Amino acid sequence: MTKPEVAKVGYARVSTTEQNLDMQITALKKYGVNEWVKDFKRKASETHQGIGG
């Protein structure tokens, strides 16, 4: 019997306009993550659009 393939899903988030996801996505790829959720929160009054948003 073969093992089922395990999905590696990551989460990357930035909270200011000065930040970007590049370093986080690079790190996720390094650890074998091939799918991720991106979350952008630009203003304190905005709600999260990513996980649980």
Side-chain angles (χ1 to χ4, degrees):
M1 182 180 250
T2 61
K3 290 183 179 181
E5 188 172 322
V6 177
K8 291 185 178 182
V9 180
Y11 177 72
R13 179 178 186 274
V14 294
S15 57
T16 69
T17 55
E18 292 81 26
Q19 297 174 324
N20 66 56
L21 298 172
D22 296 342
M23 289 179 59
Q24 293 178 51
I25 299 296
T26 299
L28 291 171
K29 289 178 181 178
K30 178 181 175 182
Y31 289 98
V33 175
N34 54 13
E35 294 184 39
W36 48 83
V37 175
K38 298 177 189 177
D39 194 2
F40 302 91
K41 186 172 181 182
R42 300 294 186 200
K43 298 176 187 171
S45 61
E46 290 181 0
T47 59
H48 291 271
Q49 298 303 313
I51 295 175

